Amino acid sequence: MAATRYSTSNEIRRQVASPRAKNRENKDTLCRNVLIYGHCRYEDQGCTFNHDQNPKISSPQADQYVATPSKRQEGHITNHLSSTKKPFNVESPAFTPSGQLSTAPKKTSLPSQAASAAPFTPRGVGSEWNPWAYAPISGSDCVTVALVISQPQTVAPSIPQATEASVFNPAAIREFTPQNYDINNATAKGVAHEATGLYADPFTTMNSLGTTLPAAGQYNMYAGDHTGLAAPTGQYYPQHGAFAPGPLQPAIYHLYQPFGPYRQDLQPWQRATYDFFISPNLREELQKKSFATLQVMPNSGLPQLERWHSLFPLDTHNRKNASTFGYPSWVYKAQNSRTGRHYALRRLEGYRLTNEKAILSVMKEWKKIKNASIVTVHEAFTTREFGDSSLIFAFDYHPLSKTLQEHHLQPPHGNRYRTPTPVPENVLWGYICQLANALKTIHANKLAARCLEPSKIILTETNRIRLSACSILDVVQFESNTKSLVELQQEDLVKFGRLILSLATLTPPAHLNNVSAALDSMGNKYSANLRDAVAWLIAPPNPGEFKSIESFISGIATHMATYVDLALQDNDDKLFHLAREVENGRYVRILTKLMAIFDRGDLGVMQNWSETGDRYQLKLFRDYVFHRVEADGKPNLDLGHMLTCLNKLDAGVDEMVLLTSPDNDTVFIVSYRELKQTADRAFNELVKLSKTGAPGANN
């Protein structure tokens, strides 16, 4: 086969012979052998085709136009020729370059004024292209092509062909310069004027360009439609540059990520359901405190005060003790009828007020105290609702709080012979730092705490203490007090030292008779630094020396810095949990709207209102989120899928979702944005009907 394919037999060579003449005139058709081989061996043997390689182009119905058009003009001319010529014919003459034509000048029908015509110059984008106006290109490297164009109906000027070929000189070409670019004539919206062909050109100055750009409108994260963001009014952020910002897009509010320090290094596959929410221990603690706040005691026999109700006793024993204030005191939890908040009421039984200025002047000063280690006092008043004359102080209520005496100095319940657990030294230093902070604030406001007893200092959280009985002795001993403020503040430091010594030795303050022995016993369990700090507080000042809480804080600055660091770490941990819970209210809002729409029956004259119109898509969306099943029919309870879909719906993102009816007969492909708009319209319709009533209903 190879030999047959590449053979040079006479049979193969006869295939390239001149085509057989047909019953038509072929004298104007160039022979194909001349084009291929340069000559035809059958020219003298009867070949009827034309063998002249330099024919003369003449046509009685067309004029000659020999020029060198540009690429853009060639496209127009080619389209014109292709639309008028006949379909391709195998026997049509081949294309002949114009270089083979005679260079003799030909007579044209062009007017004499065309020789002095100006070359074509672009006028702007808006000007229409003229296929007859193109500049000639001269040069030795340019190939001149002869084109035969049919004569148009309207006479158009023609450019004569250059008779001489000049040498190509790149230096003679002028540099392009934009013309007629006047940005000041543009419209206010920055749109080019179509009549003059102007447009916002980047070569112009930036100052003038910035004035034509549209101003960005204020972004509303709750808006369902963001097409009006580029409104010129309501600009929220001013333009900071010449160029307009990118397209304004709504923030991705469904992609929430907790921030803050991470306490656990969990792998992605280790995350459980509870990791989406607050930690179980913290949740349990908060729920217990909420339960204690709402706890009531029916038929308790406690009276209802003027602005207080639902009193609940907080004392853990029923023994009267008047050693601290001189009067038996009781603590209750009560709710204020004006604010609805819960407060802790401390009642002094059998107190008779003799001077009204005692309450007014003392409360005025103590209400100014705002400190994290002091329970804020709000008011004091007298009442006879308990059957006697009682003085009541209203403090902030901290649920499930215990006193230091109950937590450290009393044995556990059910085992009175068991020794209380010793207090760790770092816990004692934490107590010292908090109490020093409270005394510093009190002394700075020219007041004295006067009540530093383990039974009057509450423990609200782990190692978190507060002074809970301030201002009471100032009211009770308003007229009988004979000590100066300096003496009272010095007593605060001594009571402060005795309190820490009592906790360190697990001895109640009433039984702390031998202070020196107690200090010596501290050296066996605690550091010398802690022992020296307690000894400095208890020891009386030297003659001419004044002890202050500021001096004490300066001596324990290292431990204060350690406590502050621990407090900041605890704050970071709570902030981390708060960041995960900050948007949980969004689930409640979106679910409330959806549940108000789902499965709602007839609404006035509308039957199956929730399943008609676009609201049917919401029902399918509910099935897509909550009623998914596996391939084997098992329910799919993927909590991450549910939360992600609800977040995307509330944010109204552009992501598409496929919704299918249970019978697979109805399929919707909609975006979360469209679903949100549908839910908003349906809920707003319900809101409107709730005010005016449904049409056709019996109102």
Side-chain angles (χ1 to χ4, degrees), residues 428-455:
L428 288 178
W429 278 116
Y431 292 165
I432 292 174
C433 294
Q434 295 177 70
L435 294 176
N437 177 39
L439 292 179
K440 181 179 181 299
T441 302
I442 294 174
H443 292 181
N445 287 273
K446 298 181 179 181
L447 296 172
R450 304 186 63 182
C451 185
L452 292 172
E453 301 291 336
S455 60

Side-chain angles (χ1 to χ4, degrees), residues 90-102:
V90 178
E91 299 178 357
S92 61
F95 172 74
T96 303
S98 60
Q100 300 179 3
L101 300 179
S102 59

